[in-house]
Amino acid sequence: MELTEPEESADLDSAAFALHSMHLAICTAAFAFNSFLLYLLKKCSAFHSHMKIIVINQTMAVMAAVIYLFLRSSLGLWQSYDGTVKPNEIPVDDSQCAFSASVPDSLCMLFIWFPFLLMIERFYASQNYQSYEHSEAGIIFKVLCGVMWLPMLCEILVFSFSLSLPSNLQACQYSLLQQSHMQRNAWFVIIAFFSGIFAVFFKILEYRNKRIENHSVHNDYVFSCRYQIRENVKTCRFAFSLLLLFFVFFAIFFLFDRNLETKDGGKMEAAARREYLFLIFPMFALIYAIHFLTANTSLFQNAKRALQSYYYQDHGNVLIFKRPSKTGSLDNKL
């Protein structure tokens, strides 16, 4: 079906330019916060080494999705500025729509796999709290996490060899509207469903560890056991809030992407409206990093120390290069 030229193409281009600029700004902020989070996760010991491996890989998956959306927004910004986009150019081949998905399928798999691994790891830690503190099986978790990155790496290789960039991002969204609502959002429904189940599981596990903690107060538990039980309670509470965040945002994906058109003539408008869908994940990634940094006390304290160290180091360099006073000494000394 041939589409007609919009009456106010300049206004539509300006709106698209503003929207993609907003995409880029949020993606940049999300990438910066998650980079800082990844730095802290690698440097400090806020979690058990096994859990640390899982959350590092999960944060890297979030960053990979942000990079994907950053590249897509950069392409959209260039198309809006260049003015070469033709509204009636509707690709019929999916290979021409490399950036049509809100989140690539290979990354959607990771957002199920890493929380599942975290659930298994926390359950094992709760069952073996007496000896888990000294348990070391990092190589197993590294292999389990690394294997799940292979589909994404294959997808990147295929894209690198094909190099088929879409000439019109909005037209690709128009093509997606030919699918049903459930077909377009199947992965988001699956992620929201499993995130909800995992969140409930972590809440049950938290209550179970609380009962063990209360029981340890009235019994002669060694300090290391009490410490591990207390850590299990904290990490299960934290994992519950994190999985609840996954559930809320991926449910929003499904609810937001509704085809409200009543006739064929409104599909182009619906395709333009779907561009706002790409704002959801960068906002999720930003809130994900902020929640991670604030909900965990150890990470929050390390974040404050890192920022204070950077500030005082930078401030100290300014003071060192101040002009000497008349007496020959510096105006300020560290």
Side-chain angles (χ1 to χ4, degrees), residues 11 15 20 30 34 57-58 61 91 96 108 121 132 143 150 162 195 214-215 228 231 257 282 312 319-320 322 325:
D11 293 339
H20 289 299
N34 279 277
N57 278 271
Q58 182 173 276
Q96 301 177 30
C108 288
E121 188 270 341
Y132 192 71
V143 171
L150 294 179
S162 62
S195 297
N214 294 334
H215 181 70
Q228 184 60 48
E231 285 301 305
D257 184 25
Y312 286 124
L319 292 177
I320 289 174
K322 275 194 171 184
S325 62

Side-chain angles (χ1 to χ4, degrees), residues 294-305:
T294 56
N296 185 276
T297 305
S298 179
L299 273 179
F300 183 71
Q301 294 300 328
N302 279 278
K304 286 200 304 184
R305 283 194 289 268

Side-chain angles (χ1 to χ4, degrees), residues 177-317:
L177 289 175
Q178 313 307 316
Q179 302 177 1
S180 66
H181 185 203
M182 184 60 69
Q183 286 177 323
R184 296 195 304 268
N185 299 277
W187 272 111
F188 301 148
V189 175
I190 294 173
I191 294 175
F193 174 75
F194 279 103
S195 297
I197 292 178
F198 295 157
V200 172
F201 178 86
F202 280 117
K203 181 56 67 175
I204 295 174
L205 202 59
E206 177 190 344
Y207 288 145
R208 183 180 182 277
N209 281 281
K210 279 184 178 179
R211 288 197 299 268
I212 299 175
E213 184 181 18
N214 294 334
H215 181 70
S216 68
V217 175
H218 306 288
N219 294 273
D220 296 330
Y221 279 63
V222 297
F223 176 76
S224 59
C225 290
R226 290 182 179 179
Y227 174 79
Q228 184 60 48
I229 296 170
R230 194 175 299 113
E231 285 301 305
N232 289 341
V233 173
K234 292 179 181 178
T235 52
C236 286
R237 184 184 301 121
F238 171 74
F240 166 77
S241 62
L242 196 65
L243 269 297
L244 189 62
L245 187 67
F246 270 85
F247 171 79
V248 170
F249 268 88
F250 280 95
I252 290 175
F253 267 114
F254 177 73
L255 296 175
F256 185 89
D257 184 25
R258 293 181 300 170
N259 190 357
L260 301 178
E261 67 205 52
T262 56
K263 55 183 179 179
D264 292 340
K267 285 188 176 181
M268 201 62 193
E269 181 182 351
R273 189 169 60 247
R274 288 196 84 250
E275 285 296 326
Y276 288 94
L277 189 69
F278 291 87
L279 284 171
I280 296 177
F281 192 89
M283 294 175 63
F284 161 77
L286 184 60
I287 296 176
Y288 168 89
I290 294 174
H291 173 73
F292 226 114
L293 293 170
T294 56
N296 185 276
T297 305
S298 179
L299 273 179
F300 183 71
Q301 294 300 328
N302 279 278
K304 286 200 304 184
R305 283 194 289 268
L307 293 175
Q308 288 172 355
S309 176
Y310 175 79
Y311 170 78
Y312 286 124
Q313 182 180 2
D314 185 66
H315 187 62
N317 291 336

